[in-house]
Amino acid sequence: MTREQDRPDGMALARRRFLRAVAAGGVAAGGGALAAGRALAANPENLPPNEPEWARVLGPGVDDRGYGLPSIYEKHVKRRWVPWLTASAESTVNFTPLQDLHGFVTPNGLCFERHHGGRAEVNPEDHRLIIHGLVEKPLMLTVEDLKRMPSESHFYFCECAANSGMEWRNAQLNGVQFTHGMVHCVHWTGVPLRVLFEQTGLRPNARWVLAEGADAAAMTRSIPMEKALADCLVAYAQNGEALRPEQGYPIRLVVPGFEANMWVKWLRRLEVGDQPWYTREETSKYTDLLPSGKAYIFSWVMEAKSVITFPCPEKPLNGPGYYSVRGLAWSGRGRITRVDVSFDGGRNWQTAKLQDPVYPMCLTRFEIPWRWNGERALLVSRAIDETGYVQPTMYDLQKMRGVESVYHNNAQQVWEVKPSGEVENVRLRYVNA
Amino acid sequence: MSVCVTSMRKLLFAASALVLAQAAPAAAEDLGLGVVPTPEQIAGWNKDVRPDGVGLPEGSGTAKEGEPLYLEKCAYCHGDFGEGLGRWPVLAGGFGTLTYQFPQRPEKTVGSYWPYSSTLFDYIWRAMPFPEPKSLTPD
């Protein structure tokens, strides 16, 4: 795309055309599966009553792959990024392919990446965590020290505050990977901050913790001590193996339910203080500008949100008939208690089934049966969490927040299913609302 | 959203008494893991600066002295006048634009949006220039 098309104003159409091309690429790669549904095949010689080719040869032995890889037929399942969103590839984001995932756990290699100074490659032997400030005894720990300490393991979602941030003004990115892919959910293992502060002791005026990363950006965020002691972890493992470098290897902070920017990666320092530091990432960024010209600061909690991941722009429908409509819901305030789905743009709602397990501050999978009659439909989901909070419409959210917040867009997502089976990201206009 | 932020604050406030009781870990067993870092080791990494000036290093300078440094180290992304080249951040201007709504855009710059000058010093010292982080000295 040319520089002129990169202009943020008035070029929404060009952007959408670009994204549609990306989405179409994903669909084409999965085309074999779609074709199979229509009783076609890549090679009919493999179909019954014939013996398929892989049943007539020996496969590679166990030493072929010391670390397993996905099937060669799943190559389209990958993180993607949008080059025109940001000035550089080092300070930007890529997106989790939610349209290709099942259950609620995100595979380690598919967790979205958001770096501010590129991916740091840290040698764990040369890495240290220093805890200092308003503590009784400062402490410097190796990764091995941390692994010897009492540990906890929990599933938590991790969502960038800017997830869906491009959608404030209008429906813009035509794919669930791009509208909602700045979220992932993994099984974290690490040491509770509470355990670490029991070792250092805390002075009576210890109210805030500054977490700092060892990367080029030296990411720093102020975290309230109440949250730090409640449930934060210094994690060294995700989904049973060491953290991936792009997720902060060898250690990162886990701040359940709070915006992902606070989950400082490549964690090297925890300073305890009596007031926040007002770092760049909690003043100029990660604050939510309102129409009044004032902005919310320290708006940490990721409110209840949901999205339908099938069907979606990348996964169209293959003719009328039975489908399991599926999606994900989550809340930074606790458990999801209910997800409703509408097939007519929010006029009528049905309650979806939540799949076990339903954990607090964790992605929750929902599913609802649908017999598509081949007519145009408007699919919407809304999540409700254990506080009773209901995921808002974009109309209601804009009444409170305007369209320049950038962060914390948790509005309901609307997908238009066309008679062709294609699915498009659309925005509903409310008449007499 | 405002309701949520307020309720979070209230929640944190209400929790603080309880937490402070937990935070006195006198009875916690000393695991004997890790070492006490030296003051020099802490100082090498402890470069954060707060709005009240805590953490500011010794040193002095003027805008005039800074200009050649800016032109050499900053202008290749931010422009000679802080106008921002390409997609790189605009540093100057934007006053009075924060209430703009689509299709006008608020221009959030250091001047129009950053509430504290300490943040600017803190951020540049730790993370700028973008391709050479931690290469600048305070004086």
Coordinates of all heavy atoms in Angstrom, one line a residue, chain B residues 4-80:
Chain B
C4 N -17.3 1.7 36.5 CA -16.5 0.5 36.8 C -15.1 1.0 37.4 O -14.7 0.4 38.4 CB -16.1 -0.2 35.5 SG -17.6 -0.7 34.6
V5 N -14.6 2.1 36.9 CA -13.3 2.6 37.5 C -13.5 2.9 38.9 O -12.8 2.6 39.8 CB -12.8 3.8 36.6 CG1 -11.6 4.4 37.3 CG2 -12.5 3.3 35.2
T6 N -14.7 3.6 39.2 CA -14.9 4.1 40.5 C -15.1 2.9 41.4 O -14.5 2.8 42.5 CB -16.2 4.9 40.6 OG1 -16.1 5.9 39.6 CG2 -16.4 5.5 41.9
S7 N -15.8 1.9 40.9 CA -16.0 0.7 41.8 C -14.7 0.0 42.1 O -14.5 -0.6 43.2 CB -17.1 -0.2 41.2 OG -16.6 -0.7 40.0
M8 N -13.8 0.0 41.1 CA -12.5 -0.7 41.3 C -11.8 0.1 42.4 O -11.2 -0.6 43.3 CB -11.7 -0.6 40.0 CG -10.4 -1.4 40.1 SD -10.7 -3.1 40.3 CE -9.1 -3.6 41.1
R9 N -11.8 1.4 42.3 CA -11.1 2.2 43.4 C -11.7 1.8 44.7 O -10.9 1.6 45.7 CB -11.2 3.7 43.1 CG -10.5 4.1 41.8 CD -9.5 5.1 42.1 NE -8.6 5.3 40.9 CZ -8.8 6.2 40.0 NH1 -9.9 7.0 40.1 NH2 -8.0 6.3 39.0
K10 N -13.0 1.8 44.8 CA -13.6 1.5 46.1 C -13.2 0.1 46.6 O -12.9 -0.1 47.7 CB -15.2 1.6 45.9 CG -15.7 3.0 46.1 CD -17.2 2.9 46.0 CE -17.8 4.3 45.9 NZ -19.1 4.3 45.2
L11 N -13.2 -0.8 45.6 CA -12.9 -2.2 46.0 C -11.4 -2.2 46.5 O -11.2 -2.8 47.6 CB -13.0 -3.0 44.7 CG -12.7 -4.5 44.9 CD1 -13.9 -5.2 45.6 CD2 -12.5 -5.2 43.5
L12 N -10.5 -1.5 45.8 CA -9.1 -1.5 46.3 C -9.0 -0.9 47.7 O -8.3 -1.3 48.5 CB -8.3 -0.8 45.3 CG -8.1 -1.5 43.9 CD1 -7.3 -0.7 43.0 CD2 -7.5 -2.9 44.1
F13 N -9.8 0.2 47.8 CA -9.7 0.9 49.1 C -10.2 0.0 50.2 O -9.6 -0.1 51.2 CB -10.6 2.2 49.0 CG -10.4 3.1 50.2 CD1 -9.2 3.8 50.2 CD2 -11.3 3.2 51.1 CE1 -9.0 4.7 51.3 CE2 -11.1 4.1 52.2 CZ -9.9 4.8 52.3
A14 N -11.4 -0.6 49.9 CA -11.9 -1.5 50.9 C -11.0 -2.7 51.3 O -10.9 -3.1 52.4 CB -13.3 -2.0 50.5
A15 N -10.3 -3.1 50.2 CA -9.4 -4.3 50.4 C -8.1 -3.9 51.2 O -7.4 -4.8 51.7 CB -9.1 -4.9 49.1
S16 N -7.8 -2.6 51.2 CA -6.5 -2.2 51.6 C -6.2 -2.6 53.1 O -5.1 -3.1 53.5 CB -6.2 -0.7 51.4 OG -7.1 0.0 52.2
A17 N -7.2 -2.4 53.9 CA -7.0 -2.7 55.4 C -6.7 -4.2 55.5 O -5.7 -4.6 56.2 CB -8.3 -2.4 56.2
L18 N -7.4 -5.1 54.9 CA -7.2 -6.5 54.9 C -5.8 -6.8 54.4 O -5.1 -7.6 55.0 CB -8.3 -7.2 54.1 CG -8.2 -8.7 53.9 CD1 -8.6 -9.3 55.2 CD2 -9.2 -9.2 52.8
V19 N -5.5 -6.2 53.3 CA -4.2 -6.6 52.6 C -3.0 -6.1 53.5 O -2.1 -6.8 53.6 CB -4.2 -5.9 51.2 CG1 -2.8 -5.8 50.7 CG2 -5.1 -6.7 50.3
L20 N -3.2 -5.0 54.1 CA -2.0 -4.5 54.9 C -1.8 -5.5 56.0 O -0.6 -5.7 56.4 CB -2.3 -3.1 55.4 CG -2.1 -2.0 54.3 CD1 -2.5 -0.7 54.9 CD2 -0.7 -2.1 53.8
A21 N -2.9 -6.1 56.5 CA -2.7 -7.1 57.6 C -1.9 -8.3 57.0 O -1.0 -8.8 57.6 CB -4.0 -7.6 58.1
Q22 N -2.2 -8.7 55.8 CA -1.5 -9.8 55.1 C -0.1 -9.4 54.8 O 0.8 -10.2 54.8 CB -2.1 -10.1 53.8 CG -3.5 -10.8 53.8 CD -4.1 -11.0 52.5 OE1 -3.6 -10.5 51.5 NE2 -5.2 -11.7 52.4
A23 N 0.1 -8.1 54.6 CA 1.4 -7.6 54.1 C 2.5 -7.5 55.2 O 3.6 -7.1 54.9 CB 1.2 -6.2 53.4
A24 N 2.1 -7.8 56.4 CA 3.1 -7.8 57.4 C 3.5 -9.3 57.6 O 3.0 -10.0 58.5 CB 2.5 -7.3 58.7
P25 N 4.5 -9.7 56.8 CA 4.8 -11.2 56.7 C 5.8 -11.6 57.8 O 6.8 -12.3 57.4 CB 5.2 -11.4 55.3 CG 5.8 -10.0 54.9 CD 5.3 -9.0 55.9
A26 N 5.7 -11.1 59.0 CA 6.7 -11.4 60.0 C 6.9 -12.9 60.3 O 8.0 -13.3 60.5 CB 6.3 -10.7 61.3
A27 N 5.8 -13.6 60.1 CA 5.8 -15.0 60.5 C 6.3 -15.9 59.3 O 6.5 -17.1 59.4 CB 4.5 -15.5 60.9
A28 N 6.5 -15.3 58.1 CA 6.8 -16.0 56.9 C 8.2 -16.7 57.1 O 9.1 -16.1 57.6 CB 6.8 -15.2 55.7
E29 N 8.3 -17.9 56.6 CA 9.5 -18.7 56.7 C 10.5 -18.1 55.7 O 10.2 -17.9 54.6 CB 9.2 -20.1 56.4 CG 10.5 -21.0 56.4 CD 10.3 -22.4 55.8 OE1 9.1 -22.7 55.4 OE2 11.2 -23.2 55.8
D30 N 11.7 -17.9 56.2 CA 12.8 -17.4 55.3 C 13.3 -18.6 54.4 O 13.8 -19.6 55.0 CB 14.0 -16.8 56.1 CG 15.1 -16.2 55.2 OD1 14.9 -16.4 53.9 OD2 16.0 -15.7 55.7
L31 N 13.0 -18.5 53.1 CA 13.4 -19.7 52.3 C 14.9 -19.7 52.0 O 15.4 -20.7 51.5 CB 12.6 -19.6 51.0 CG 11.1 -19.6 51.1 CD1 10.4 -19.4 49.7 CD2 10.6 -20.9 51.8
G32 N 15.6 -18.6 52.3 CA 17.0 -18.6 52.1 C 17.4 -18.6 50.6 O 18.5 -19.0 50.3
L33 N 16.5 -18.2 49.8 CA 16.8 -18.2 48.3 C 17.1 -16.7 47.9 O 16.5 -15.8 48.4 CB 15.6 -18.7 47.5 CG 15.3 -20.2 47.7 CD1 14.0 -20.5 47.1 CD2 16.4 -21.1 47.2
G34 N 18.0 -16.6 46.9 CA 18.4 -15.3 46.4 C 19.5 -14.6 47.3 O 19.9 -15.2 48.4
V35 N 19.9 -13.5 46.9 CA 20.9 -12.7 47.6 C 20.5 -11.3 47.8 O 19.6 -10.9 47.0 CB 22.3 -12.8 46.9 CG1 22.9 -14.2 46.8 CG2 22.2 -12.1 45.5
V36 N 21.1 -10.6 48.7 CA 20.8 -9.2 48.8 C 21.6 -8.4 47.8 O 22.8 -8.5 47.8 CB 21.1 -8.7 50.2 CG1 20.8 -7.1 50.3 CG2 20.2 -9.4 51.3
P37 N 21.0 -7.7 46.9 CA 21.7 -7.0 45.9 C 22.5 -5.8 46.5 O 22.1 -5.3 47.5 CB 20.7 -6.5 44.9 CG 19.4 -6.4 45.7 CD 19.5 -7.5 46.7
T38 N 23.6 -5.5 45.9 CA 24.4 -4.3 46.4 C 23.7 -3.0 46.0 O 23.0 -3.0 45.0 CB 25.8 -4.3 45.8 OG1 25.7 -4.1 44.4 CG2 26.5 -5.7 46.1
P39 N 24.0 -2.0 46.7 CA 23.4 -0.7 46.3 C 23.8 -0.3 44.9 O 23.0 0.3 44.2 CB 24.0 0.3 47.3 CG 24.3 -0.5 48.5 CD 24.7 -1.9 48.0
E40 N 25.0 -0.7 44.4 CA 25.4 -0.4 43.1 C 24.6 -1.2 42.1 O 24.2 -0.7 41.0 CB 26.9 -0.7 42.9 CG 27.8 0.2 43.7 CD 27.8 -0.1 45.2 OE1 27.5 -1.2 45.6 OE2 28.1 0.9 45.9
Q41 N 24.3 -2.4 42.4 CA 23.5 -3.2 41.5 C 22.1 -2.7 41.3 O 21.5 -2.6 40.2 CB 23.4 -4.7 42.0 CG 24.7 -5.5 41.7 CD 24.7 -6.9 42.4 OE1 24.2 -7.0 43.5 NE2 25.2 -7.8 41.7
I42 N 21.5 -2.2 42.4 CA 20.2 -1.6 42.4 C 20.2 -0.3 41.6 O 19.4 -0.1 40.7 CB 19.6 -1.4 43.8 CG1 19.4 -2.7 44.5 CG2 18.3 -0.6 43.7 CD1 19.0 -2.6 46.0
A43 N 21.2 0.5 41.9 CA 21.3 1.8 41.3 C 21.4 1.7 39.7 O 20.9 2.5 39.0 CB 22.5 2.6 41.9
G44 N 22.1 0.7 39.3 CA 22.3 0.5 37.9 C 21.1 0.3 37.1 O 21.0 0.7 35.9
W45 N 20.1 -0.3 37.7 CA 18.8 -0.5 37.0 C 17.7 0.5 37.5 O 16.7 0.7 36.8 CB 18.3 -1.9 37.3 CG 19.0 -3.0 36.4 CD1 20.1 -2.7 35.6 CD2 18.8 -4.4 36.4 NE1 20.5 -3.9 35.0 CE2 19.7 -4.9 35.5 CE3 17.9 -5.2 37.1 CZ2 19.8 -6.3 35.3 CZ3 17.9 -6.6 36.8 CH2 18.9 -7.1 35.9
N46 N 17.8 1.0 38.7 CA 16.8 1.9 39.3 C 16.9 3.3 38.7 O 17.4 4.2 39.3 CB 16.9 1.9 40.8 CG 15.9 2.7 41.5 OD1 14.8 3.0 40.8 ND2 16.1 3.2 42.7
K47 N 16.3 3.5 37.5 CA 16.4 4.8 36.9 C 15.1 5.5 36.7 O 15.0 6.5 36.0 CB 17.0 4.6 35.5 CG 18.5 4.1 35.5 CD 19.0 4.0 34.1 CE 20.5 3.7 34.1 NZ 21.0 3.5 32.7
D48 N 14.1 5.0 37.4 CA 12.7 5.6 37.2 C 12.7 6.9 38.0 O 13.3 7.1 39.0 CB 11.6 4.6 37.7 CG 11.9 4.0 39.0 OD1 11.8 4.7 40.0 OD2 12.3 2.8 39.1
V49 N 11.9 7.8 37.4 CA 11.7 9.2 37.9 C 10.2 9.4 38.1 O 9.4 9.2 37.2 CB 12.3 10.2 36.9 CG1 12.1 11.6 37.5 CG2 13.7 9.9 36.7
R50 N 9.9 9.9 39.3 CA 8.5 10.2 39.6 C 8.1 11.7 39.4 O 9.0 12.5 39.4 CB 8.2 9.8 41.1 CG 8.1 8.3 41.3 CD 7.5 7.9 42.6 NE 7.6 8.9 43.8 CZ 7.5 8.5 45.0 NH1 7.3 7.2 45.3 NH2 7.7 9.4 46.0
P51 N 6.8 12.0 39.3 CA 6.4 13.4 39.1 C 6.9 14.3 40.2 O 7.2 15.5 40.0 CB 4.9 13.3 39.1 CG 4.6 12.0 38.6 CD 5.7 11.1 39.1
D52 N 7.1 13.8 41.5 CA 7.6 14.6 42.6 C 9.1 14.8 42.5 O 9.7 15.4 43.4 CB 7.1 14.1 43.9 CG 7.6 12.7 44.2 OD1 8.4 12.1 43.4 OD2 7.3 12.1 45.2
G53 N 9.7 14.2 41.5 CA 11.2 14.4 41.3 C 12.0 13.3 41.9 O 13.2 13.2 41.7
V54 N 11.4 12.4 42.7 CA 12.1 11.3 43.3 C 12.7 10.4 42.1 O 12.0 10.1 41.2 CB 11.2 10.4 44.2 CG1 11.9 9.1 44.6 CG2 10.9 11.2 45.4
G55 N 14.0 10.2 42.2 CA 14.7 9.4 41.2 C 15.4 10.2 40.2 O 16.2 9.6 39.4
L56 N 15.3 11.5 40.2 CA 16.0 12.3 39.2 C 17.5 12.3 39.5 O 17.9 12.5 40.6 CB 15.5 13.8 39.3 CG 14.5 14.3 38.3 CD1 14.1 15.7 38.6 CD2 14.9 14.1 36.8
P57 N 18.3 12.1 38.5 CA 19.7 12.0 38.7 C 20.3 13.5 38.8 O 19.6 14.4 38.4 CB 20.3 11.3 37.4 CG 19.3 11.6 36.4 CD 17.9 11.8 37.1
E58 N 21.6 13.5 39.2 CA 22.3 14.8 39.2 C 22.5 15.2 37.8 O 22.7 14.4 36.9 CB 23.6 14.7 39.9 CG 23.5 14.5 41.4 CD 23.1 15.7 42.2 OE1 23.5 16.8 41.8 OE2 22.2 15.6 43.1
G59 N 22.5 16.5 37.5 CA 22.7 17.0 36.1 C 22.0 18.3 35.8 O 21.1 18.7 36.6
S60 N 22.3 18.9 34.7 CA 21.6 20.1 34.3 C 21.7 20.2 32.8 O 22.6 19.6 32.1 CB 22.2 21.3 35.0 OG 23.5 21.5 34.6
G61 N 20.9 21.1 32.2 CA 21.0 21.3 30.8 C 19.9 22.4 30.4 O 19.1 22.7 31.2
T62 N 20.1 22.9 29.2 CA 19.1 23.9 28.7 C 18.6 23.4 27.3 O 19.2 22.5 26.7 CB 19.8 25.2 28.4 OG1 20.8 25.1 27.4 CG2 20.5 25.7 29.7
A63 N 17.5 24.0 26.9 CA 16.9 23.7 25.6 C 17.9 23.9 24.5 O 18.0 23.2 23.5 CB 15.6 24.4 25.4
K64 N 18.7 25.0 24.6 CA 19.6 25.4 23.6 C 20.7 24.3 23.5 O 21.1 23.9 22.4 CB 20.2 26.8 23.9 CG 20.7 27.5 22.7 CD 21.1 29.0 23.1 CE 21.6 29.7 21.9 NZ 20.6 30.3 21.0
E65 N 21.2 23.9 24.7 CA 22.2 22.8 24.7 C 21.6 21.5 24.1 O 22.4 20.7 23.5 CB 22.7 22.5 26.1 CG 23.6 23.6 26.7 CD 23.8 23.5 28.2 OE1 23.3 22.5 28.8 OE2 24.5 24.4 28.7
G66 N 20.3 21.3 24.3 CA 19.7 20.1 23.8 C 19.4 20.0 22.4 O 19.3 18.9 21.8
E67 N 19.4 21.2 21.7 CA 18.9 21.2 20.3 C 19.8 20.3 19.4 O 19.3 19.5 18.6 CB 18.9 22.6 19.8 CG 18.3 22.7 18.4 CD 18.2 24.1 17.8 OE1 18.7 25.1 18.5 OE2 17.6 24.3 16.7
P68 N 21.2 20.5 19.4 CA 22.0 19.7 18.5 C 21.8 18.2 18.8 O 21.8 17.3 17.9 CB 23.4 20.1 18.8 CG 23.4 21.0 20.0 CD 22.0 21.5 20.2
L69 N 21.6 17.8 20.1 CA 21.4 16.5 20.5 C 20.1 15.9 19.9 O 20.0 14.8 19.4 CB 21.4 16.4 22.0 CG 21.7 15.0 22.7 CD1 23.1 14.6 22.3 CD2 21.6 15.2 24.2
Y70 N 19.1 16.8 20.0 CA 17.7 16.4 19.4 C 17.9 16.1 17.9 O 17.3 15.2 17.4 CB 16.7 17.5 19.7 CG 15.4 17.2 19.1 CD1 14.4 16.4 19.7 CD2 15.1 17.7 17.8 CE1 13.2 16.1 19.1 CE2 13.9 17.4 17.2 CZ 12.9 16.6 17.8 OH 11.8 16.2 17.2
L71 N 18.6 17.1 17.3 CA 18.7 17.0 15.8 C 19.4 15.7 15.4 O 19.1 15.0 14.4 CB 19.3 18.2 15.2 CG 18.5 19.5 15.3 CD1 19.3 20.7 14.8 CD2 17.2 19.3 14.5
E72 N 20.4 15.3 16.2 CA 21.2 14.1 15.9 C 20.4 12.8 16.3 O 20.4 11.8 15.6 CB 22.5 14.2 16.6 CG 23.4 13.0 16.3 CD 24.6 12.9 17.3 OE1 24.9 13.9 18.0 OE2 25.2 11.8 17.4
K73 N 19.8 12.8 17.5 CA 19.3 11.6 18.1 C 17.8 11.3 17.9 O 17.3 10.2 18.2 CB 19.7 11.5 19.6 CG 21.1 11.7 20.0 CD 21.8 10.3 19.8 CE 23.2 10.4 20.4 NZ 24.0 9.1 20.2
C74 N 17.1 12.4 17.6 CA 15.6 12.3 17.7 C 14.9 12.7 16.4 O 13.9 12.1 16.0 CB 15.1 13.2 18.8 SG 16.0 13.1 20.3
A75 N 15.5 13.6 15.7 CA 14.8 14.3 14.6 C 14.5 13.3 13.4 O 13.6 13.5 12.6 CB 15.5 15.5 14.1
Y76 N 15.4 12.2 13.3 CA 15.2 11.3 12.2 C 13.9 10.5 12.2 O 13.4 9.9 11.2 CB 16.4 10.4 12.0 CG 16.8 9.5 13.1 CD1 16.2 8.3 13.4 CD2 17.9 9.9 13.9 CE1 16.6 7.5 14.4 CE2 18.3 9.1 15.0 CZ 17.6 7.9 15.2 OH 18.0 7.1 16.3
C77 N 13.2 10.5 13.4 CA 11.9 10.0 13.5 C 10.8 11.1 13.8 O 9.8 11.1 13.2 CB 11.7 8.9 14.6 SG 12.6 7.4 14.2
H78 N 11.2 11.9 14.7 CA 10.2 12.9 15.2 C 10.2 14.2 14.4 O 9.3 15.1 14.7 CB 10.4 13.2 16.7 CG 10.2 12.0 17.6 ND1 9.0 11.3 17.7 CD2 11.1 11.3 18.3 CE1 9.2 10.3 18.6 NE2 10.5 10.2 18.9
G79 N 11.1 14.4 13.5 CA 11.1 15.6 12.7 C 11.9 16.7 13.4 O 12.0 16.7 14.6
D80 N 12.4 17.7 12.6 CA 13.2 18.8 13.1 C 12.4 19.6 14.1 O 12.9 20.2 15.0 CB 13.7 19.7 12.0 CG 14.8 19.1 11.2 OD1 15.2 18.0 11.6 OD2 15.2 19.6 10.2

